[in-house]
């Protein structure tokens, strides 16, 4: 020890800082603890991300624990999907239901014995008691409180039950829950982001074990954080209201609570909390629906620089750089704003930054999802590289892959399926004659196209519009010269002939 102190005192300041940091955080273990009740929420991804950054920045362990004790809300397959999504984002946990670890099982429904033992401990020490009140009575109390404008809660009736009566009722198999005796005094605790907090719990003794013998969230969460040696609890600030319950549970067991780090709310405009009804509240919206690259979504989640040292707002960070510059003492209280403009910005940057090897599987997966019957030749890496190069060279605003399969650039992979666009602007006979003439013309350059337009007494931009509509089913989009350059003559001929057929089908001629 003396040797270490000597070494420490003589080390240079950088090394001293590193050693101090290492000693303070020597056993960092953090966890992401979602309930598998549906699609992954953007806020949950942010929580997982910050836990991951924290673990990596402090050389700790990142744990995924599935909190499935509310069996009524369970969605099958959801837990596995969460873990897959984390992996896709590059945030794979070190310990989890799939990868295992020294503190498993990592799914709460497989740990029931642990909670039962912990509850017995609290019953024995007098911190908890069995409650036989029917759900009807509890509901009545809730309604009465609502009528009088009071806080809903339990009136602690069974707390004063004679122990021998309680034992008798238990022996008779009467249904019961286990409640925790809540302290009358306010509970004080320290949060890294929100500072010292003090909260009086007025809703009475809360349930820790339900009548189905499953623990409640609060109880299982605390018991597991302790059992899994979680050093820091990093989660959304909506959990601050539950923290006094957790702090009291820790005290009743005589356990040291973890360090609390609550992250500010995710809002649309700085104040209103994001609603679960909003499509963009879920991760799927960004990845599956819109096709933003995952690096763009991660940058979006740190867009206000919270927790990043020397944050530069107009820069796309790689995950590695985020880890290097992560500093939890810089996590601010300012609510996160869903600013879709910055998402667009990061979407554009990420598309430009990512390698073709990263983009290729993303594009193929989108094709599989949106255009399953795509011509196999168009799935060839060489063709996809040609498309990507086109976008990089000509489309500065390109930001999300969905526009390749369901939006304005779908034409790269699918030919027009209706003649509606053409027929809205052209007489069917005129359109067909012009398209046939194009097929017959041996060259397509400005002069030859102008000559065809002139022959039919048409302003040449109108002919260009017909060409665009026949190739890409839109009057806007890349200039015609770029389209001719991209598609070879045979592909254009194919699309012109196809349009002639579509017109024939629509007009029955
Ligand atoms: N199961 C809780 C959730 O769904 C975990 C909250 C916490 O991190 O303590 O978010």
């Amino acid at each position: 020890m003396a040797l270490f102190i000597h070494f420490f005192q003589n080390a240079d300041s950088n090394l001293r800082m590193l050693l101090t940091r290492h000693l303070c955080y020597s056993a960092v273990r953090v966890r992401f603890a979602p309930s598998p009740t549906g699609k992954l929420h953007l806020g949950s991804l942010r929580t997982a991300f910050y836990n991951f950054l924290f673990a990596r920045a402090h050389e700790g362990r990142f744990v995924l624990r599935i909190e499935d004790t509310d069996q009524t809300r369970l969605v099958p397959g959801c837990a596995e999907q969460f873990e897959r999504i984390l992996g896709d984002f590059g945030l794979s946990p070190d310990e989890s239901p799939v990868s295992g670890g020294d503190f498993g099982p990592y799914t709460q429904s497989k740990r029931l014995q642990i909670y039962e033992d912990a509850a017995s401990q609290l019953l024995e020490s007098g911190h908890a008691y069995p409650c036989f009140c029917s759900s009807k009575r509890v509901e009545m109390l809730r309604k009465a409180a609502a009528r009088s404008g009071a806080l809903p809660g339990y009136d602690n009736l069974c707390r004063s039950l004679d122990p021998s009566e309680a034992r008798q009722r238990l022996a008779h198999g009467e249904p019961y829950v286990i409640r925790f005796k809540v302290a009358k005094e306010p509970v004080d605790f320290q949060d890294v982001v929100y500072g010292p907090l003090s909260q009086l719990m007025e809703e009475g003794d809360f349930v820790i074990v339900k009548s189905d013998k499953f623990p409640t969230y609060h109880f299982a969460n605390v018991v597991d954080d302790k059992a899994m040696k979680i050093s820091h609890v990093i989660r959304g600030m909506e959990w601050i209201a539950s923290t006094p319950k957790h702090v009291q549970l820790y005290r009743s067991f005589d356990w040291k609570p973890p360090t609390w780090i609550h992250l500010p709310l995710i809002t649309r405009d700085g104040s209103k909390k994001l609603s679960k009804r909003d499509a963009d509240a879920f991760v799927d919206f960004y990845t599956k629906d819109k096709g933003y690259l995952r690096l763009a979504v991660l940058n979006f989640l740190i867009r206000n620089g919270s927790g990043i040292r020397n944050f530069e707002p107009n820069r796309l960070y790689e995950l590695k750089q985020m880890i290097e510059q992560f500093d939890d003492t810089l996590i601010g209280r300012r609510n996160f704003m869903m600013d879709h403009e910055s998402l667009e910005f990061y979407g554009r940057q990420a598309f430009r930054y990512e390698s073709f090897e990263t983009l290729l599987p993303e594009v193929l997966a989108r094709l599989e999802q949106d255009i399953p019957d795509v011509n196999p030749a168009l799935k060839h890496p060489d063709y996809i590289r040609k498309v990507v190069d086109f976008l990089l060279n000509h489309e500065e605003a390109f930001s999300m892959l969905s526009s390749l399969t369901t939006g304005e650039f779908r034409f790269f992979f699918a030919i027009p399926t209706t003649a509606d666009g053409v027929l809205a602007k052209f007489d069917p006979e005129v359109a067909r004659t012009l398209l046939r003439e194009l097929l017959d013309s041996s060259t397509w350059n400005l002069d030859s196209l102008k000559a065809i337009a002139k022959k039919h007494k048409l302003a040449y931009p109108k002919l260009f519009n017909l060409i665009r509509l026949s190739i890409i089913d839109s009057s806007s989009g890349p200039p015609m010269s770029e389209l001719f350059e991209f598609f070879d003559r045979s592909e254009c001929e194919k699309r012109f002939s196809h349009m002639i057929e579509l017109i024939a089908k629509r007009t029955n001629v």
Side-chain angles (χ1 to χ4, degrees):
M1 189 63 185
L3 203 67
F4 177 77
I5 292 171
H6 176 77
F7 173 73
F8 186 80
Q9 281 168 347
N10 290 300
D12 85 350
S13 61
N14 275 344
L15 185 57
R16 261 208 312 271
M17 199 182 82
L18 268 174
L19 284 170
T20 313
R21 243 180 132 70
H22 186 72
L23 288 177
C24 292
Y25 291 103
S26 54
V28 162
R29 292 181 55 81
V30 291
R31 77 333 186 246
F32 170 48
S35 301
T37 56
K39 289 193 292 186
L40 190 68
H41 198 265
L42 186 68
S44 304
L45 178 65
R46 196 239 342 220
T47 298
F49 181 32
Y50 274 74
N51 273 285
F52 173 88
L53 289 175
F54 189 91
R56 290 292 168 271
H58 298 297
E59 285 158 34
R61 304 280 289 172
F62 173 46
V63 176
L64 169 68
R65 181 175 74 227
I66 297 298
E67 300 206 325
D68 60 347
T69 57
D70 187 350
Q71 295 278 303
T72 58
R73 295 176 61 218
L74 206 70
V75 174
C78 183
E80 295 73 13
Q81 202 194 348
F82 285 179
E83 189 158 357
R84 234 184 350 258
I85 294 176
L86 291 184
D88 289 347
F89 273 91
L91 311 176
S92 289
D94 304 309
E95 298 167 29
S96 75
V98 173
S99 51
D102 293 344
F103 297 84
Y106 292 89
T107 301
Q108 287 190 326
S109 57
K110 298 195 174 131
R111 303 172 60 83
L112 296 182
Q113 190 58 50
I114 297 172
Y115 312 125
E116 202 181 313
D117 294 347
S120 308
Q121 206 177 318
L122 290 190
L123 283 171
E124 266 165 44
S125 64
H127 286 98
Y129 60 89
C131 163
F132 301 93
C133 291
S134 64
S135 45
K136 216 163 127 195
R137 177 171 191 276
V138 174
E139 180 59 15
M140 217 177 64
L141 289 173
R142 197 189 62 77
K143 282 192 179 148
R147 269 197 305 276
S148 64
L151 218 70
Y154 180 60
D155 60 359
N156 300 355
L157 180 75
C158 290
R159 199 199 255 225
S160 46
L161 215 60
D162 183 68
S164 61
E165 184 190 335
R167 264 197 303 278
Q168 234 173 30
R169 291 171 77 170
L170 286 175
H172 279 114
E174 214 177 298
Y176 68 98
V177 299
I178 301 177
R179 286 187 186 270
F180 180 77
K181 286 185 190 165
V182 168
K184 287 189 196 71
E185 310 76 42
V187 179
D188 301 332
F189 60 98
Q190 181 76 23
D191 184 87
V192 169
V193 178
Y194 289 89
L197 296 166
S198 179
Q199 218 165 299
L200 182 66
M201 292 174 50
E202 291 169 299
E203 74 250 43
D205 296 342
F206 61 90
V207 176
I208 55 172
V209 178
K210 296 176 280 185
S211 56
D212 63 3
K213 302 275 179 286
F214 272 74
T216 55
Y217 150 71
H218 303 293
F219 189 56
N221 185 274
V222 165
V223 169
D224 282 347
D225 280 348
K226 170 70 184 173
M228 295 181 179
K229 292 197 165 40
I230 297 302
S231 59
H232 298 73
V233 164
I234 306 171
R235 59 188 175 191
M237 71 94 78
E238 61 275 21
W239 297 101
I240 283 188
S242 301
T243 309
K245 286 187 181 147
H246 303 172
V247 171
Q248 285 203 40
L249 281 166
Y250 277 101
R251 286 182 190 158
S252 67
F253 282 113
D254 212 8
W255 294 339
K256 184 176 169 292
T259 301
W260 308 106
I261 304 179
H262 286 93
L263 305 172
L265 279 183
I266 296 196
T267 65
R268 194 168 293 292
D269 58 0
S271 60
K272 197 176 150 268
K273 190 170 176 261
L274 196 64
S275 153
K276 293 221 160 134
R277 280 186 299 276
D278 298 330
D280 59 354
F282 297 95
V283 176
D284 267 4
F285 171 86
Y286 300 88
T287 51
K288 270 199 157 151
D289 299 355
K290 297 290 174 190
Y292 286 107
L293 292 168
R294 291 180 178 81
L295 188 60
V297 179
L298 293 182
N299 274 270
F300 177 54
L301 288 174
I302 55 148
R303 60 162 281 280
N304 57 10
S306 202
I308 303 292
R309 212 177 307 119
N310 304 327
F311 182 69
E312 294 165 55
N314 289 326
R315 164 177 171 195
L316 181 87
Y317 285 82
E318 277 176 64
L319 193 51
K320 196 167 133 270
Q321 295 160 337
M322 297 187 211
I323 294 169
E324 277 164 13
Q325 285 178 233
F326 185 71
D327 183 343
D328 36 285
T329 63
L330 298 177
I331 299 176
R333 293 181 202 173
R334 192 152 54 105
N335 284 340
F336 175 85
M337 275 199 270
M338 301 269 296
D339 167 13
H340 282 261
E341 244 176 61
S342 66
L343 178 63
E344 276 293 297
F345 170 80
Y346 291 125
R348 289 196 295 273
Q349 301 275 317
F351 179 68
R352 278 161 196 280
Y353 170 82
E354 291 287 22
S355 66
F356 180 70
E357 286 62 42
T358 307
L359 292 171
L360 180 63
E362 296 284 337
V363 174
L364 289 174
R366 291 213 73 80
L367 286 171
E368 190 71 32
Q369 174 186 305
D370 299 332
I371 319 179
D373 57 352
V374 65
N375 175 352
L378 305 185
K379 290 200 281 189
H380 194 280
D382 289 348
Y383 181 72
I384 294 179
R385 188 184 286 275
K386 196 173 157 197
V387 172
V388 168
D389 285 345
F390 179 93
L391 294 167
L392 290 173
N393 294 329
H394 301 290
E395 297 295 332
E396 235 173 84
F398 186 84
S399 64
M400 54 186 189
L401 297 181
S402 63
S403 47
L404 271 181
T405 50
T406 56
E408 62 173 317
F409 298 108
R410 187 180 151 91
F411 65 80
F412 283 124
F413 298 99
I415 58 176
T417 51
T418 78
D420 293 356
V422 167
L423 294 178
K425 300 220 165 84
F426 292 87
D427 169 82
E429 229 8 85
V430 173
R432 286 209 299 181
T433 310
L434 288 168
L435 289 168
R436 281 201 197 103
E437 194 125 352
L438 283 167
L439 289 171
D440 290 343
S441 169
S442 58
T443 49
W444 296 340
N445 54 34
L446 195 57
D447 289 340
S448 66
L449 296 179
K450 275 184 172 174
I452 294 176
K454 195 166 170 199
K455 183 175 158 200
H456 292 272
K457 298 191 177 48
L458 204 68
Y460 71 86
K462 242 193 133 185
L463 176 66
F464 287 9
N465 195 19
L466 174 69
I467 294 174
R468 302 173 58 76
L469 286 166
S470 304
I471 300 179
I472 67 170
D473 200 15
S474 169
S475 300
S476 56
M480 211 181 63
S481 54
E482 288 173 11
L483 292 174
F484 275 163
E485 199 189 310
F486 182 87
F487 290 118
D488 53 21
R489 174 150 183 146
S490 73
E491 179 63 26
C492 294
E493 283 181 357
K494 207 163 96 194
R495 293 189 181 206
F496 291 155
S497 305
H498 182 66
M499 186 51 72
I500 293 173
E501 278 168 33
L502 288 174
I503 295 171
K505 252 191 229 150
R506 262 291 299 279
T507 54
N508 286 327
V509 284

